Amino acid sequence: MKKLKNPTACVIIIGNEILSGRTLDTNKQYLCKELTLNGIDVIEARVIKDNKKEIINTVNEVRKKYNYVFTTGGIGPTHDDITSISIANAFKVKLIKNKEALLILKKFYNLKNEKLNKARQKMALIPKGAELLHNPVTKAAGFRIKNVYVMAGIPKIMIAMFKKIIKKIKHGIPEISKTILINFPESCIAEDLEIIQKKFNNIEIGSYPFMNGKKKGVNVVLKGRNLNQIRSAEKEIKKIIKLL
Amino acid sequence: MKKLKNPTACVIIIGNEILSGRTLDTNKQYLCKELTLNGIDVIEARVIKDNKKEIINTVNEVRKKYNYVFTTGGIGPTHDDITSISIANAFKVKLIKNKEALLILKKFYNLKNEKLNKARQKMALIPKGAELLHNPVTKAAGFRIKNVYVMAGIPKIMIAMFKKIIKKIKHGIPEISKTILINFPESCIAEDLEIIQKKFNNIEIGSYPFMNGKKKGVNVVLKGRNLNQIRSAEKEIKKIIKLL
C-alpha cells in the first residue's frame, strides 16, 4: 500500500490509577483522534506507571522512533508527581526553577489571594532548556523538550494544552475515511471484503465488528487518500450488502 | 517500599481503530481492574497497530518481561485480522487448522443452519501447540501460547473469555485500597501528604485530582497490605482536611 509519509507519534499515558483500572483513560482517545484528524499517525500508545525508571526508558525508546511523543500525567504538586524529574533525567538535563513558570503561578495565586506554597512552587520545576506549554485552566505549565510534549493528566487541562500545541506542530495530510454500517456478522462479508481489499490496494479496508445487546454488526471503514478508490470500493461493498 | 511479589502482567490492545481514536477502548480498563483485584500487577499496557511486525516485536519483548501477557483484537474472520498468524510467527510455530476449534465452529453454524464458509474456517487457525480459550458467545476460540493469552476484541466476547482464564491462572494477593475524597485542590494538601507518605512508607499514597465542571478536588488513594498503616494514614489525612 503506497502512503505519503505523515509525521508519526506515540502517546504515553503515565499513571498508576489507569493501570489499576481505577480511572478510565479518555486522554488517549482524544489525542489519537485529534492527531489523526491532523494527519499525524499515532503508531502506538503506552500506559506506564508513575515510576522513574519506566518513564525514562519508555520516553528514551519512543522519542527516537517517532516524530512526536505526547505524555499526560504526573506533573502536579504532589509527591507522586514525578514525570518532570523523570523527563529531565531522560534527557540528562537538570530540573530547574523556571522563572516564567514561577511568575505565572505567582500572579495566579496572588489574584486568588492564596499562598504560593512549596507544593505549588514545585510545579515551576521544568527541565533546563524546555519550552513551556501554557495551561489556561490552572496555570501550572507543561513543557516541550525536543520532540517530547509533557502535558497534565486532568483531561480538561490536557485538552487546553493540546489545542495550543496542535497549532504549532507540523501536520500531515489526513486520510479520507468512509464508514459503512452493516447489520450482519462480519463473517458473512469477509471473503468479499478480502477480494475488494486486494482490488483497491491503495486504500485500507478495516472491519470492526460490534455487539450491543442482541444487535450484531460491523462497521467497515475505508481509509486512504484515493477518493476514487474509496468511492468504487464503497459501491462494491454496498452491492454485496444487498445480496445478503 | 517493601512488597510481596505478585505476578506481573502486560495488556496489549491490538487495533488500528483504537489508535485512530475511532473507538474508545474499554478492554484495557476492564482487564486492568480485574487483574488488580486478583493481585496481578499490570505493569504496562500498550496499544499497537494491526501490523505483523509490531505485534511480533511487542509480544516478544513483553512476554519475557512479565508473567502474563493478555492481547485483545485481531482474531476475527476478516483480512485485517492478523493477530493469530503474527503470534505464531512470534513463537516461530506454524499456524494450523485446530481440529477442536473447527469442530466447535461446525456445530455452532450447523445449529444456526449457516455455512461454515472460508472466512469462518479461518477462525480455527491457531498456532501449533496453543491451548484453546473458549468463547461462549460466538464460539470462535482465542488461545494461550506459553504465557500469552490471545483474546477477541469485542468487549462482550473478551470478558467471557477472560472470566474463564482468570479462574485458571495464578493470582497474587490484592492490595487493600482506601479512597478519601477531598473537595479542595491537591496543592492545599500536597506538603502534608508528602510527610504522611514518608511516615507510612509501607503503603503507597496516590493523589488523583479531578475537575468536573466547576467542581475541583482530589481522590487520595491509600494502597498496600498493611491495614494498620492505611488506617493511621487515613486518620492523619482526615485531620488535615478538617483544618483546610
Side-chain angles (χ1 to χ4, degrees), chain A residues 164-182:
Chain A
K164 287 172 182 279
I165 296 168
I166 195 67
K167 285 182 190 158
K168 286 189 184 178
I169 65 178
K170 201 188 154 202
H171 295 195
I173 300 168
E175 289 183 320
I176 307 157
S177 174
K178 173 81 202 167
T179 301
I180 305 166
L181 168 68
I182 302 172

Side-chain angles (χ1 to χ4, degrees), chain B residues 166-219:
Chain B
I166 195 68
K167 284 180 189 159
K168 287 189 183 177
I169 64 178
K170 200 187 155 204
H171 295 194
I173 301 167
E175 290 184 319
I176 307 157
S177 173
K178 174 83 202 166
T179 300
I180 307 165
L181 167 66
I182 303 172
N183 289 313
F184 285 93
E186 61 173 353
S187 58
C188 298
I189 54 154
E191 287 165 50
D192 293 308
L193 225 49
E194 187 170 5
I195 294 165
I196 297 170
Q197 171 70 86
K198 277 182 185 154
K199 193 168 164 188
F200 301 103
N201 59 358
N202 277 330
I203 62 168
E204 191 185 296
I205 303 181
S207 174
Y208 305 117
F210 62 83
M211 293 179 82
N212 292 331
K214 285 199 170 177
K215 234 177 161 185
K216 270 181 230 176
V218 55
N219 281 300

Side-chain angles (χ1 to χ4, degrees), chain B residues 66-105:
Chain B
Y66 307 112
N67 296 113
Y68 300 117
V69 175
F70 300 92
T71 80
T72 72
I75 61 167
T78 53
H79 63 277
D80 58 336
D81 287 309
I82 57 163
T83 298
S84 301
I85 179 67
S86 307
I87 301 280
N89 289 353
F91 281 90
K92 295 192 173 114
V93 299
K94 282 192 177 163
L95 190 71
I96 57 165
K97 198 160 273 184
N98 183 294
K99 281 180 191 165
E100 189 190 349
L102 195 65
L103 194 69
I104 294 168
L105 289 172

